[in-house]
PDB file of all heavy atoms in Angstrom:
ATOM      1  N   ILE A 117       5.773 -18.324   2.954  1.00  0.00           N
ATOM      2  CA  ILE A 117       4.618 -18.097   3.838  1.00  0.00           C
ATOM      3  C   ILE A 117       5.086 -17.400   5.119  1.00  0.00           C
ATOM      4  O   ILE A 117       6.020 -17.899   5.782  1.00  0.00           O
ATOM      5  CB  ILE A 117       3.882 -19.390   4.045  1.00  0.00           C
ATOM      6  CG1 ILE A 117       3.196 -19.856   2.762  1.00  0.00           C
ATOM      7  CG2 ILE A 117       2.833 -19.243   5.172  1.00  0.00           C
ATOM      8  CD1 ILE A 117       2.607 -21.219   2.747  1.00  0.00           C
ATOM      9  N   GLY A 187      12.371 -16.998   8.450  1.00  0.00           N
ATOM     10  CA  GLY A 187      12.293 -15.578   8.269  1.00  0.00           C
ATOM     11  C   GLY A 187      11.678 -14.985   9.503  1.00  0.00           C
ATOM     12  O   GLY A 187      10.978 -15.656  10.259  1.00  0.00           O
ATOM     13  N   GLY A 250      18.273   3.418   4.573  1.00  0.00           N
ATOM     14  CA  GLY A 250      19.057   2.211   4.215  1.00  0.00           C
ATOM     15  C   GLY A 250      20.359   2.210   4.998  1.00  0.00           C
ATOM     16  O   GLY A 250      20.785   1.126   5.499  1.00  0.00           O
ATOM     17  N   LEU A 275       7.166  -2.634   0.947  1.00  0.00           N
ATOM     18  CA  LEU A 275       6.587  -1.301   0.901  1.00  0.00           C
ATOM     19  C   LEU A 275       5.519  -1.219  -0.170  1.00  0.00           C
ATOM     20  O   LEU A 275       5.624  -1.846  -1.244  1.00  0.00           O
ATOM     21  CB  LEU A 275       7.703  -0.303   0.600  1.00  0.00           C
ATOM     22  CG  LEU A 275       8.749  -0.295   1.713  1.00  0.00           C
ATOM     23  CD1 LEU A 275       9.998   0.462   1.244  1.00  0.00           C
ATOM     24  CD2 LEU A 275       8.203   0.328   2.977  1.00  0.00           C
ATOM     25  N   LEU A 286      -5.458  11.209  -8.397  1.00  0.00           N
ATOM     26  CA  LEU A 286      -6.856  11.093  -8.816  1.00  0.00           C
ATOM     27  C   LEU A 286      -7.238  12.402  -9.494  1.00  0.00           C
ATOM     28  O   LEU A 286      -7.115  13.464  -8.923  1.00  0.00           O
ATOM     29  CB  LEU A 286      -7.751  10.852  -7.584  1.00  0.00           C
ATOM     30  CG  LEU A 286      -9.205  10.817  -7.810  1.00  0.00           C
ATOM     31  CD1 LEU A 286      -9.670   9.727  -8.793  1.00  0.00           C
ATOM     32  CD2 LEU A 286      -9.980  10.590  -6.458  1.00  0.00           C
TER      33      LEU A 286
END
Side-chain angles (χ1 to χ4, degrees):
I117 291 171
L275 298 166
L286 175 60

